Amino acid sequence: QVQLVESGGGLVQAGGTLRLSCTASGSIFSINAMGWYRQAPGKQRELVAVITSGGSFNYADSVKGRFTISRDNAKNTVYLQMHSLKPEDTAVYYCNADIRKYYYSSSRYYWGQGTLVTVCS
C-alpha cells in the first residue's frame, strides 16, 4: 500500500508564509513526478506546481514568483514553500505523486488526503 500524507496547512494572513510537506510511504520502488494541486470551494482542482525526479519544475502562472516546489528524494518528500499569500490562494491543497511500486510494475498516480490553507485579508 502507498500513502501520501500532507502537513503544514493552516490559517495565515494575506502576505504571510506557509510551507506544505508531503511524504510518500509504503511499497515504493521509485517516484517520478511529484506535485501539488489545489481546489477552492466551488472550483475545479488545478495544478499548482510539479517537480520531476530530476528536479525540473513547472508552476501555475498564478503562483509563479511566490511559490517554490522542492523535493527530497531520499525522504520521498515534496515541499511547497508559499510566500506572499493571497486570499485567492485559499483552497485544499493536495499532494500528487507518480509512483512505481515494484521494478516490474508500471507507475500510477496517488493522491494525498489534502490540507486546508486559508488566507485571510
Side-chain angles (χ1 to χ4, degrees):
Q1 195 67 292
V2 172
Q3 279 191 317
L4 297 180
V5 179
E6 301 112 330
S7 62
L11 175 64
V12 64
Q13 286 191 328
T17 297
L18 279 177
R19 187 193 197 209
L20 306 183
S21 300
C22 170
T23 298
S25 63
S27 179
I28 297 173
F29 175 74
S30 64
I31 303 177
N32 301 318
M34 301 185 81
W36 292 93
Y37 288 71
R38 66 186 182 187
Q39 187 166 19
K43 295 188 177 182
Q44 288 189 329
R45 191 174 296 189
E46 62 176 3
L47 174 68
V48 176
V50 62
I51 185 168
T52 68
S53 57
S56 299
F57 48 79
N58 194 28
Y59 296 96
D61 288 342
S62 60
V63 306
K64 283 181 180 177
R66 300 188 298 122
F67 291 10
T68 301
I69 190 170
S70 61
R71 64 189 282 176
D72 184 332
N73 291 329
K75 296 181 178 180
N76 291 339
T77 299
V78 63
Y79 305 97
L80 186 68
Q81 182 70 51
M82 304 184 291
H83 294 284
S84 303
L85 283 160
K86 305 175 182 180
E88 51 263 44
D89 294 318
T90 295
V92 177
Y93 284 70
Y94 296 92
C95 175
N96 174 266
D98 183 19
I99 295 173
R100 176 176 295 183
K101 293 182 65 175
Y102 310 104
Y103 73 93
Y104 54 80
S105 64
S106 57
S107 64
R108 55 153 285 194
Y109 286 95
Y110 291 84
W111 291 93
Q113 81 287 352
T115 185
L116 178 62
V117 172
T118 303
V119 184
C120 59
S121 56

